[in-house]
Amino acid sequence: MSAKIGEMLTEKLKKQKNDIVPLLSDLNKISLIEGKSFEVCSKAKDELPLICGNPLLVFSNKNTSKINSELKVGVLFSGGPASGGHNVVVGLYDALKEMNPKSQVVGFLNGPDGLLKSEYKILTDDDINNVRNQGGFYLLGTSRTKFEKESDMQKCYETIQKLQLDGLLIIGGDDSNTNAAHLANYLKKSNSKTSVVGIPKTIDGDLAYLPYLQTSFGFYTASMTYSEMVGNICRDLPSSRKIWHFVKLMGRSASWITLEVAFQTQPNVALIGEEIKQKNMTLSQVIDMVCDVIEKRYSSGKKYGVVLIPEGIVEFIPEIKNLIQAINKAIVNIGNENFLKMHISERREKVIIELSQENERLFASLPYSVQNGLLSGLDPHGNVQVSQIASDVLIMDLVTERLHKKGIKLTTQAHFYGYDGRCGYPTWFDATYTYNLGRAASILVAYRKSGYMVTINKLHNDFDSWQVQAIPLAGMMNVEERKGKESLVISKYLVDLNSNAFKEFEKNRDKWAIEDSYLCPGPIQFFGDDSLVKSKSITMMLNG
Amino acid sequence: MSAKIGEMLTEKLKKQKNDIVPLLSDLNKISLIEGKSFEVCSKAKDELPLICGNPLLVFSNKNTSKINSELKVGVLFSGGPASGGHNVVVGLYDALKEMNPKSQVVGFLNGPDGLLKSEYKILTDDDINNVRNQGGFYLLGTSRTKFEKESDMQKCYETIQKLQLDGLLIIGGDDSNTNAAHLANYLKKSNSKTSVVGIPKTIDGDLAYLPYLQTSFGFYTASMTYSEMVGNICRDLPSSRKIWHFVKLMGRSASWITLEVAFQTQPNVALIGEEIKQKNMTLSQVIDMVCDVIEKRYSSGKKYGVVLIPEGIVEFIPEIKNLIQAINKAIVNIGNENFLKMHISERREKVIIELSQENERLFASLPYSVQNGLLSGLDPHGNVQVSQIASDVLIMDLVTERLHKKGIKLTTQAHFYGYDGRCGYPTWFDATYTYNLGRAASILVAYRKSGYMVTINKLHNDFDSWQVQAIPLAGMMNVEERKGKESLVISKYLVDLNSNAFKEFEKNRDKWAIEDSYLCPGPIQFFGDDSLVKSKSITMMLNG
């Protein structure tokens, strides 16, 4: 049999060591310059007293003091995978070995669980060379475990002490970095000298802190993978000329991915959850908005189009949010265990009698599959499983029904892209960004800095202008209600309707709705012209 | 805003004229050598008397007689889009203009409809340069219209006469090429000198005639697009370590795409419809087969995996096929129009009373969404809409239920890839193959050959060994029952269980089931190393 593409591309990208340029090339010439202080909320001052005084740190190339300590640094992945994660570990490893060949990287297995249970492996050259520029988190695995109890913190402390770690990198999203902040404070309190450093990961794009943190890694690779698929559909539209495609895109609450894919493909409709919320739109108004575009296109003979739908849209429609809360309450009253034992028809009956007339009417108006999703019981956190709601089918079915009544018969097709974009080979941008985040983290550990997140500033400028920084985790934190109580968290960065990116979208969408302005970005390219290979996120470029 | 990838890649590939090498480079040196005669069935002799004597034609570079006639050639797309279609038109146009700059290409709009209604455009240099190496059929559009009545043939004849066409290219699959054969015969009978030439298109891979026609264009690009997505999922599996993915792949009845994606990604399970049929398996046995792999993996601690499911699988399970026929009959008895007016619960009631006890039991065992799919009425051909059956959800739900009873709780995710793979930028293979098919077709027209399909032989060898041929459409045809009567058709080429490709799959699948042998082929590459850019289908390479 002929050689397989997967084997060839994997090997080729592994060996592309020289294509990923280190920003902090000479580790003998690094100093950390203290920058501005961050405002810290009072709850952070209470809960994170030992790290809340951290100022901004700016990496500079002007020092000549050699960093050559032998270091032992742990690393773990937390939450859903994102492309570039492996390169964080590779960058960390390369830098530590450059400083001192005796240094070690300890990889914790299965995410935070590995730290709790002291399950790990000491990484070797082979381990590292095998995952260079490779997608996924498979070198170590990941999990969503949080350190919520004091006893969890104590277990982490014990593992860290046992292994005599100089540092620990937590590669994760908003929740994982919240964890990192608490752990950093706990370790200081316990007189541990271990530095805890957070690395900004998530495909959702909802972890940002402007102007210091512009984007999390993995967002661009995921967005371009989905854009390839949506772009192919966009080429299909004027070819077969008869189908309306409803495409749900991953991204949890935030609509950033949908916005980026919209810029890359110029679809007829892209729903932005944050806008729907701000305008306090009803489900019916959202459906009207989509129907309006479809009708306009029909009247000019175009019986085809594409609608992008962010995964979290239902949470942004106030009446649906109310309904979800009411169902949540009803299931709590029944008891989730009892509820799960019931047949679906019994579940429906028991829930409906608990609903207000208004909610009952709304529930009854939803497609059957969506009703079933809402009745699939509570998740481990005690919430209705919003992710079980097929929001693509919800919008698609309601639009189809409304237009059918007006005599317009749609041919439709639903799609969901999400899991297929988390583990692709990282783009040049994500591969380079992450390699340098890992590299910079090693320096923070060498300088015993804890409670920081490593970031790179000026990502929208040329590579030569990229500026490595470390921002204090405590400064990123706010108080929000979680599970009914005030908690200290890193706020999700949702689509800002005043941002340049949203305004640019607003300016173009009416044109995209009616004209066929479709673009087909095609598959991510790793070789050839810089204009293609070294591309960056349009939303990031616009938001600067 | 920064330049958009879609615009840049489109422009870049449009200009890559020189990367697509013409096989018949010097059109002054072509001759057609008559090869072997084909056996023709008696029904073809009856229905296609004027083209059934066509022998094989082999293109040779040994002539020196200049072809310089001014020709006017029509072209149309038929059926679903496939990557490379535009390059057929580009190759045709380039060759005709090389022979004589006054020659013209007439593009019929919206597929066969354009020929029936005489809707067309005369293609210009700009039209051609805009679609060079671009996916989709959007230059002209397509449709699934067939010429079934004598009056349709007459309308085609009138359009062809009015335009004084020297030739007509029909770019389509098995049905469209069956149409092409009948039209070729009809035109000869009407004393038209117009050559009708078929071009083998379909992503499904079910149009082949070994050894003359090894693969249809579009199959490889579609397969590699799906393989990218499945490969990304394969990288996610050992990263998040908790989800079973059930992936439905397009391909109508044939499981070729599933087989190709299996070679490219090495999944835990790939169901092959043709094998299920040959082994006369029940639905329950298919579910057992999948459960068996999942249980084995669970027992070694692996709670994740991926199952590939060909779109047409339900037609291959005899008991499901029987059930579909029984439901078909029931709906015919009720009357499809009446049936469609009924609420879904009434439809269910009316159908169930018409089913045998055995069928009723089977129907009741199916997931609700699948039952609804079966009750969605008949298609324009009078058949239950098998494509409406979510076979991924069917298999996924039944597997989940069965394992749940054994105490194994699965986390699952369904996917469907299909429409997103029909219109991508063609791979080098599809771009080159189609350009040369279009080029060769121009020569058939110049030599007034009609009732042929252009093919390229030895595609599995180096490009320099590729051999252009034309095979008689009549020789490809067989008698099959369609809508209850014997019809002359081009048989679908389904997966052959004695083929090298299937045997290679059989040899490897037990290993792939248990070990994590996953491959991640990544996105299609257009630039750089030939080993990646000029790759070919593994099933084609194996079947030779």
Side-chain angles (χ1 to χ4, degrees), chain B residues 339-351:
Chain B
F339 187 74
L340 288 177
K341 283 182 200 144
M342 294 174 190
H343 187 264
I344 188 78
S345 57
E346 193 185 353
R347 290 187 198 175
R348 176 172 286 107
E349 213 172 276
K350 297 277 185 195
V351 161

Side-chain angles (χ1 to χ4, degrees), chain A residues 1-10 12 81 86 109-110 133-144 220 224-225 228-233 235-243 245 262-266 368 372 413-417 419-425 504 508 512 519-529 531-533 535-538 541-542, chain B residues 1-10 12 81 86 109-110 133-144 220 224-225 228-233 235-243 245 262-266 368 372 413-417 419-425 504 508 512 519-529 531-533 535-538 541-542:
Chain A
M1 196 176 358
S2 61
K4 297 192 170 191
I5 296 285
E7 287 165 0
M8 288 191 289
L9 186 60
T10 292
K12 224 172 180 55
H86 283 144
L109 303 179
N110 303 315
N133 300 323
Q134 305 300 307
F137 281 3
Y138 57 84
L139 172 66
L140 303 171
T142 182
S143 69
R144 295 187 183 276
Y220 188 54
M224 291 314 291
T225 305
E228 178 194 354
M229 295 297 112
V230 175
N232 286 354
I233 290 170
R235 285 252 154 124
D236 204 302
L237 296 172
S239 301
S240 43
R241 299 179 185 184
K242 61 179 183 186
I243 305 178
H245 294 266
F263 283 125
Q264 297 289 354
T265 63
Q266 307 187 164
Y368 208 79
N372 286 351
Q413 179 65 45
H415 306 260
F416 171 42
Y417 301 114
Y419 295 95
D420 29 24
R422 311 195 302 177
C423 291
Y425 294 95
E504 180 72 23
N508 285 286
W512 297 348
L519 292 178
C520 182
I524 292 165
Q525 297 298 300
F526 299 111
F527 313 101
D529 251 39
S531 61
L532 292 172
V533 174
S535 65
K536 298 175 193 171
S537 147
I538 293 175
M541 295 301 285
L542 287 168
Chain B
M1 193 174 3
S2 61
K4 299 194 167 189
I5 296 285
E7 287 165 359
M8 290 191 288
L9 186 59
T10 292
K12 223 171 180 57
H86 282 145
L109 303 179
N110 303 315
N133 299 325
Q134 305 300 307
F137 280 3
Y138 57 85
L139 173 67
L140 302 172
T142 182
S143 68
R144 295 189 183 277
Y220 188 54
M224 289 314 290
T225 305
E228 178 194 354
M229 295 296 113
V230 174
N232 286 355
I233 291 170
R235 285 251 155 124
D236 205 304
L237 296 171
S239 301
S240 43
R241 300 182 184 182
K242 62 180 183 187
I243 306 178
H245 294 267
F263 283 125
Q264 297 288 354
T265 63
Q266 305 188 163
Y368 207 79
N372 285 351
Q413 179 65 45
H415 307 259
F416 171 41
Y417 300 114
Y419 294 96
D420 30 25
R422 311 194 303 178
C423 290
Y425 294 95
E504 180 71 23
N508 285 288
W512 297 348
L519 292 178
C520 181
I524 292 166
Q525 297 297 302
F526 298 113
F527 312 101
D529 251 41
S531 61
L532 292 173
V533 174
S535 65
K536 299 175 194 171
S537 147
I538 294 176
M541 295 301 285
L542 286 168

Side-chain angles (χ1 to χ4, degrees), chain A residues 182-249:
Chain A
H182 285 285
L183 184 60
N185 192 73
Y186 186 89
L187 292 179
K188 282 214 177 201
K189 203 172 66 186
S190 315
N191 291 315
S192 157
K193 290 201 172 129
T194 310
S195 307
V196 179
V197 178
I199 305 286
K201 170 231 74 166
T202 171
I203 67 160
D204 305 326
D206 59 2
L207 178 58
Y209 193 71
L210 296 175
Y212 310 100
L213 172 62
Q214 297 172 283
T215 189
S216 52
F217 80 78
F219 169 74
Y220 188 54
T221 304
S223 296
M224 291 314 291
T225 305
Y226 308 146
S227 295
E228 178 194 354
M229 295 297 112
V230 175
N232 286 354
I233 290 170
C234 286
R235 285 252 154 124
D236 204 302
L237 296 172
S239 301
S240 43
R241 299 179 185 184
K242 61 179 183 186
I243 305 178
W244 271 88
H245 294 266
F246 290 78
V247 182
K248 182 170 77 168
L249 295 169

Side-chain angles (χ1 to χ4, degrees), chain B residues 19 25 42 82 145 149 253 273 313 345-346 357 447 464 530-531:
Chain B
D19 278 26
S25 52
S42 63
T145 307
K149 294 170 294 189
S253 308
I313 194 169
S345 57
E346 193 185 353
Q357 227 176 353
Y447 279 104
D464 294 336
D530 279 2
S531 61

Side-chain angles (χ1 to χ4, degrees), chain B residues 122-143:
Chain B
I122 308 291
L123 300 180
T124 64
D125 283 1
D126 275 356
D127 288 331
I128 292 301
N129 289 328
N130 274 328
V131 298
R132 198 178 291 273
N133 299 325
Q134 305 300 307
F137 280 3
Y138 57 85
L139 173 67
L140 302 172
T142 182
S143 68

Side-chain angles (χ1 to χ4, degrees), chain B residues 294-530:
Chain B
I294 297 178
E295 285 184 83
K296 277 193 188 135
R297 290 179 61 82
Y298 254 68
S299 67
S300 65
K302 290 175 181 166
K303 299 186 169 185
Y304 55 85
V306 60
V307 180
L308 304 186
I309 301 165
E311 168 181 49
I313 194 169
V314 288
E315 293 171 79
F316 283 108
I317 302 173
E319 57 174 351
I320 301 266
K321 203 174 169 180
N322 280 340
L323 173 64
I324 291 171
Q325 280 167 351
I327 292 173
N328 213 139
K329 210 172 137 196
I331 299 177
V332 169
N333 289 344
I334 296 162
N336 194 39
E337 282 205 18
N338 282 332
F339 187 74
L340 288 177
K341 283 182 200 144
M342 294 174 190
H343 187 264
I344 188 78
S345 57
E346 193 185 353
R347 290 187 198 175
R348 176 172 286 107
E349 213 172 276
K350 297 277 185 195
V351 161
I352 284 178
I353 51 172
E354 303 251 354
L355 297 181
S356 70
Q357 227 176 353
E358 200 181 338
N359 272 332
E360 191 186 329
R361 209 178 302 123
L362 178 62
F363 184 78
S365 77
L366 302 177
Y368 207 79
S369 58
V370 175
Q371 292 181 13
N372 285 351
L374 286 167
L375 296 173
S376 57
L378 307 181
D379 68 15
H381 304 291
N383 299 319
V384 166
Q385 296 175 58
V386 177
S387 67
Q388 289 299 309
I389 303 170
S391 45
D392 46 345
V393 177
L394 171 71
I395 306 282
M396 186 173 85
D397 284 4
L398 293 176
V399 164
T400 305
E401 199 183 302
R402 187 160 307 175
L403 289 173
H404 193 76
K405 284 181 189 152
K406 291 186 172 184
I408 295 176
K409 203 163 173 289
L410 291 192
T411 305
T412 56
Q413 179 65 45
H415 307 259
F416 171 41
Y417 300 114
Y419 294 96
D420 30 25
R422 311 194 303 178
C423 290
Y425 294 95
T427 58
W428 170 87
F429 174 80
D430 275 324
T432 305
Y433 183 27
T434 48
Y435 184 81
N436 282 297
L437 288 174
R439 200 171 167 85
S442 74
I443 295 161
L444 284 185
V445 174
Y447 279 104
R448 302 272 168 203
K449 300 293 181 185
S450 190
Y452 277 97
M453 176 186 282
V454 184
T455 66
I456 298 179
N457 208 343
K458 306 213 164 103
L459 290 168
H460 60 294
N461 290 343
D462 284 349
F463 177 75
D464 294 336
S465 320
W466 288 15
Q467 172 62 60
V468 185
Q469 299 186 337
I471 52 177
L473 287 168
M476 298 176 75
M477 300 182 85
N478 288 306
V479 177
E480 282 184 18
E481 202 186 291
R482 294 278 164 99
K483 295 187 214 173
K485 69 174 188 185
E486 301 222 310
S487 298
L488 193 60
V489 297
I490 296 177
S491 303
K492 277 193 204 310
Y493 174 61
L494 300 180
V495 171
D496 175 357
L497 305 189
N498 292 314
S499 64
N500 287 341
F502 184 78
K503 283 182 186 159
E504 180 71 23
F505 167 71
E506 227 179 355
K507 213 164 70 190
N508 285 288
R509 65 174 156 191
D510 290 344
K511 182 174 176 296
W512 297 348
I514 303 309
E515 298 173 21
D516 291 3
S517 313
Y518 308 128
L519 292 178
C520 181
I524 292 166
Q525 297 297 302
F526 298 113
F527 312 101
D529 251 41
D530 279 2

